[in-house]
Amino acid sequence: MRQKLFDGKNYEKCCGHCLKGKLPADRSVVLCKKHGIVSLDDCCPSFEYDPLKRIPKRPRLKTDFSEDEFKL
């Protein structure tokens, strides 16, 4: 299930982005305050989005350069 952020972008409801969950160093599970150890993609009714836990996608770099772009 996706919800809209205040700036119009979508985010996915999952315990990996929840305010109540803590991510250990290996990032394989979530330590939830309410439900204990759960997987990253689980979700419960007490979900609260934390934007600081979201890892943004890497930007795509342009790879098709032409020779004219390097001339002075």
Side-chain angles (χ1 to χ4, degrees):
M1 174 184 262
R2 291 189 179 264
Q3 300 236 338
K4 286 207 171 201
L5 288 174
F6 53 89
D7 62 353
K9 294 186 179 177
N10 292 333
Y11 67 91
E12 187 174 342
K13 283 180 77 171
C14 64
C15 287
H17 298 150
C18 184
L19 186 64
K20 295 178 178 92
K22 301 279 186 214
L23 290 171
D26 63 353
R27 294 183 160 274
S28 61
V29 293
V30 177
L31 306 173
C32 181
K33 291 180 183 178
K34 292 195 151 241
H35 300 285
I37 299 173
V38 294
S39 69
L40 285 171
D41 54 353
D42 280 349
C43 185
C44 69
S46 63
F47 175 80
E48 290 181 42
Y49 182 68
D50 184 8
L52 298 177
K53 290 187 180 177
R54 184 181 66 86
I55 299 172
K57 293 180 182 177
R58 296 185 72 166
R60 292 187 179 213
L61 298 176
K62 184 179 176 182
T63 57
D64 54 335
F65 295 109
S66 66
E67 192 174 315
D68 295 333
E69 294 178 15
F70 294 102
K71 291 183 180 178
L72 295 176

